[in-house]
Amino acid sequence: MLSLRHIKKDEKIEIKIKTKNRPSYLAVLLASLLNQTYTNFMIVINDQSDSPVERDDALRDLFTLAKTIGHEIKIIRTEGGWKRHQQAMEAVPESIEFILRIDDDMLTDAGFLENILKPFHLF
């Protein structure tokens, strides 16, 4: 039986982003995430790019901005396969139960996270 629990009003969630060789897409996504009305989240980037995302100037600036306003960012590099999933799960702190997986080519509006979490307030 499926058992869902009520999400607390300002519970910390994780946003997991998989990216590969698309730093401009990732930059646009990160900029849109930093403009969310729901602000209690951390970001884990699963980087499968040929060149690490940390080498991109715009992304480095966005990582710095995210950390400055209180968002933890973890970057893991994986090759693929089962090990990729295991490493991604190990990057999640035990205190976080809600994980949102999104692709690097998404563009979110300011209420995206708030709207995604609304159904969890019903349980």
Side-chain angles (χ1 to χ4, degrees), residues 59-73:
L59 287 173
R60 272 200 316 267
D61 289 346
L62 285 165
F63 298 154
T64 300
L65 175 61
K67 290 175 185 176
T68 300
I69 60 176
H71 300 295
E72 181 182 358
I73 293 189

Side-chain angles (χ1 to χ4, degrees), residues 7 12-18 29 33 36 38 41-45 89 92 96-103 106 108 111-117 120:
I7 187 170
K12 189 169 200 168
I13 65 168
E14 178 187 308
I15 301 171
K16 190 169 297 213
I17 306 165
K18 185 176 101 177
L29 171 60
L33 289 173
Q36 292 296 301
Y38 188 92
F41 61 87
M42 70 171 292
I43 298 171
V44 173
I45 298 171
M89 290 309 295
V92 180
I96 294 180
E97 182 175 339
F98 292 93
I99 303 169
L100 175 63
R101 292 176 177 92
I102 58 178
D103 290 330
M106 276 191 71
T108 64
F112 174 74
L113 292 178
E114 201 169 329
N115 289 330
I116 287 288
L117 295 172
F120 291 95

Side-chain angles (χ1 to χ4, degrees), residues 17-80:
I17 306 165
K18 185 176 101 177
T19 190
K20 183 174 183 178
N21 298 327
R22 301 196 304 186
S24 58
Y25 284 82
L26 181 58
V28 169
L29 171 60
L30 289 176
S32 71
L33 289 173
L34 296 179
N35 192 37
Q36 292 296 301
T37 55
Y38 188 92
T39 59
N40 197 12
F41 61 87
M42 70 171 292
I43 298 171
V44 173
I45 298 171
N46 185 347
D47 182 18
Q48 298 178 14
S49 304
D50 297 330
S51 176
V53 293
E54 298 96 317
R55 292 185 184 165
D56 184 274
D57 291 336
L59 287 173
R60 272 200 316 267
D61 289 346
L62 285 165
F63 298 154
T64 300
L65 175 61
K67 290 175 185 176
T68 300
I69 60 176
H71 300 295
E72 181 182 358
I73 293 189
K74 289 186 180 180
I75 300 169
I76 59 173
R77 291 195 46 84
T78 61
E79 298 298 321

